[in-house]
């Protein structure tokens, strides 16, 4: 009988992860899942703070925010696929990144439609107040 190595190689780790032989502490979080979660939540918090009027939304930052949300969905999907293949941890993070990225896209689409239909009038450029 051949002795089992103390530290398995990469291929053996994948095989053990697929069969559930690795302990919970040996399975690491997938870095793509963590990245997707951050890439989705940061722009979502930025847009939420702008809608709540806690900060002024800078129009120059909205395109990068939208791209960051789209990238969060893409990286989250790749992370989910990798987690399924390797048995790593972080499925919830990858799903959260995908959902947050989709929410950023939906909020931007809603804002675009709203501003197209209602129109945009910066403060002080609207019609005069009839009460004056």
């Amino acid at each position: 009988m051949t002795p089992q190595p103390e530290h398995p190689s990469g291929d053996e780790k994948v095989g053990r992860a697929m069969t559930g032989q690795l302990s919970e502490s040996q399975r690491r979080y997938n870095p793509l899942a963590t990245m997707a979660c951050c890439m989705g939540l940061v722009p979502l918090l930025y847009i939420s703070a702008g809608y709540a009027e806690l900060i002024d939304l800078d129009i120059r930052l909205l395109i990068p925010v939208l791209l960051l949300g789209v990238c969060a969905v893409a990286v989250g999907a790749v992370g989910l696929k990798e987690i399924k293949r390797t048995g790593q941890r972080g499925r919830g993070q990858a799903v959260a990144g995908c959902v947050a990225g989709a929410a950023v896209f939906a909020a931007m689409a809603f804002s675009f439609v709203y501003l197209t239909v209602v129109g945009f009038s910066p403060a002080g450029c609207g019609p005069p107040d009839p009460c004056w």
Side-chain angles (χ1 to χ4, degrees), residues 27 29-30 32-34 36-38 41 76 79-80 83 88-100:
R27 290 178 28 205
Y29 281 97
N30 186 296
L32 292 176
T34 305
C37 190
C38 294
L41 290 178
L80 281 171
I83 288 169
Q88 291 177 320
R89 297 167 64 185
R91 185 176 187 282
Q93 288 179 339
V95 170
C98 289
V99 169

Side-chain angles (χ1 to χ4, degrees), residues 29-81:
Y29 281 97
N30 186 296
L32 292 176
T34 305
M35 187 184 332
C37 190
C38 294
M39 288 173 67
L41 290 178
V42 168
L44 187 62
L45 291 174
Y46 176 75
I47 290 174
S48 300
Y51 284 154
E53 296 181 2
L54 298 175
I55 62 171
D56 290 330
L57 287 178
D58 188 3
I59 195 80
R60 295 171 293 182
L61 291 177
L62 292 183
I63 296 298
V65 163
L66 179 63
L67 290 176
L68 204 55
V70 171
C71 289
V73 173
V75 171
V78 171
L80 281 171
K81 184 176 179 181

